[in-house]
Amino acid sequence: MQKFFPFIIVLFWCSAAWTQTKSTDSITTSKADKNIDFNILPYLNYNRTLDFMFGVIPMMMYKINKADTISPKSLSGLSGVYTTNKSYFIASFNKWYFKEDSWRAQLFLVTGNQNAQFYVDDIDMPDFYDYATKSSMINFSLQRKVIKALYAGLGYSYAHYDTKYLDNIEPSAVTQTNGLQFSMMYDTRDAVYYPTKGDKIKLRWLTYPTWFGNDANANKILSEYNKYFPMRNGTDVLAARFSGKFGLGNIAFEQQTTIGGEDIRGYSEGKYRGDGLMALQAEYRYNFNKKMGLTGFAGLATIYGSDTSDFNWGLYPGAGIGYRYRAFKHEKFNIGLDAAVGKGDWGLYFRIGEAF
């Protein structure tokens, strides 16, 4: 029964989304004249670490300046999620496009308590051990168009973590970080929320110097290259992605990267954790009508800097399928659910927008 569980959840969620079609259209139509597309989305998911997750996500799309016909619509939303392992998350997410797309800004705030697990092998009984992290995070970035399709910008991130480990497998720790971000992005996509062609190349350097209120110097370099190919006369999309996350210096436990999420789906136990990650994946997005679609995807990842040396530079495949539903009437913006399997693991992923 367990191996079929992800697909049962997918079918249930799809049927729930289908029943909302009429009410969603009525909401977005009434708000369109006011320059706002508004929707309230239910959240239902399952994770091998967090167990069942449920919540609500109100969000809206809008033009900052109605006379600006070049900038994409901006996006703002809230999310509140509670899990049956007694974790919770409250977040606000915002993407702003203005001045004829000459400026782009993002603001993300989250607070919550995550009850999770990590793998330890350098003890008498190698196994997963539980930990709980109370965290608060703020991330803001601003980019300016330098020349056609090329953006550059600055950002700031703040995070406060209070982590306690079950069975005292590690000493409790309180970590606070203040990060500066320098970014560049080359963007030739035909749309920011659902591209069908073009490229997105992004490079970010996050630095955590001691003079900026950090206990130790650390740096992270985050890179991604997304490529989009139109298929079936532009009805479908073939998307490909390279992602690299490189931690340098004294990377805190909470700053480490874990195989899973948008980089490689099919891993939800949190077993493969390290200072850096590289991943390749491809996804086919099949649209069988204007409101709904299916995806199929596969990828391969590796990590380094793991406390478990056998995990370093191993190959970790992941593959799966997904369902997509158009959340707004006046903008191609999808929500959905992915089910994926990995190396001895599997995962479900509720999507707001595409995976990449």
Side-chain angles (χ1 to χ4, degrees), residues 69-113:
T69 60
I70 297 176
S71 297
K73 284 187 175 181
S74 297
L75 174 70
S76 294
L78 297 171
S79 64
V81 177
Y82 181 79
T83 80
T84 52
N85 84 338
K86 299 182 180 180
S87 299
Y88 67 87
F89 308 94
I90 301 171
S92 171
F93 52 92
N94 303 271
K95 290 185 177 183
W96 294 300
Y97 303 89
F98 49 99
K99 293 290 185 181
E100 297 184 336
D101 204 20
S102 294
W103 291 91
R104 295 180 174 186
Q106 294 188 33
L107 175 64
F108 179 74
L109 304 96
V110 63
T111 186
N113 182 43

Side-chain angles (χ1 to χ4, degrees), residues 20 24 39-43 55-59 327 333 335 350 352:
Q20 296 180 72
T24 299
N39 207 344
I40 300 177
L41 307 172
Y43 182 91
V56 64
I57 306 174
M59 62 182 184
F333 182 92
I335 60 172
F350 181 87
I352 301 176

Side-chain angles (χ1 to χ4, degrees), residues 208-265:
Y208 303 90
T210 53
W211 59 262
F212 202 50
N214 298 286
D215 293 334
N217 283 310
N219 293 273
K220 297 182 74 173
I221 297 174
L222 309 179
S223 61
E224 61 182 76
Y225 176 28
N226 301 337
K227 179 76 174 179
Y228 305 92
F229 305 91
M231 309 295 288
R232 285 207 308 144
N233 297 319
T235 303
D236 298 344
V237 181
L238 175 63
R241 171 180 170 86
F242 165 80
S243 174
K245 298 179 178 180
F246 308 99
L248 307 170
N250 297 293
I251 302 299
F253 173 81
E254 296 86 358
Q255 291 177 307
Q256 288 185 315
T257 185
T258 304
I259 291 181
E262 65 179 6
D263 294 308
I264 187 77
R265 285 159 281 181

Side-chain angles (χ1 to χ4, degrees), residues 169-186:
I169 193 70
E170 295 280 352
S172 299
V174 175
T175 304
Q176 181 173 300
T177 63
N178 292 275
L180 294 173
Q181 174 180 297
F182 304 90
S183 65
M184 296 190 70
M185 179 172 66
Y186 177 74

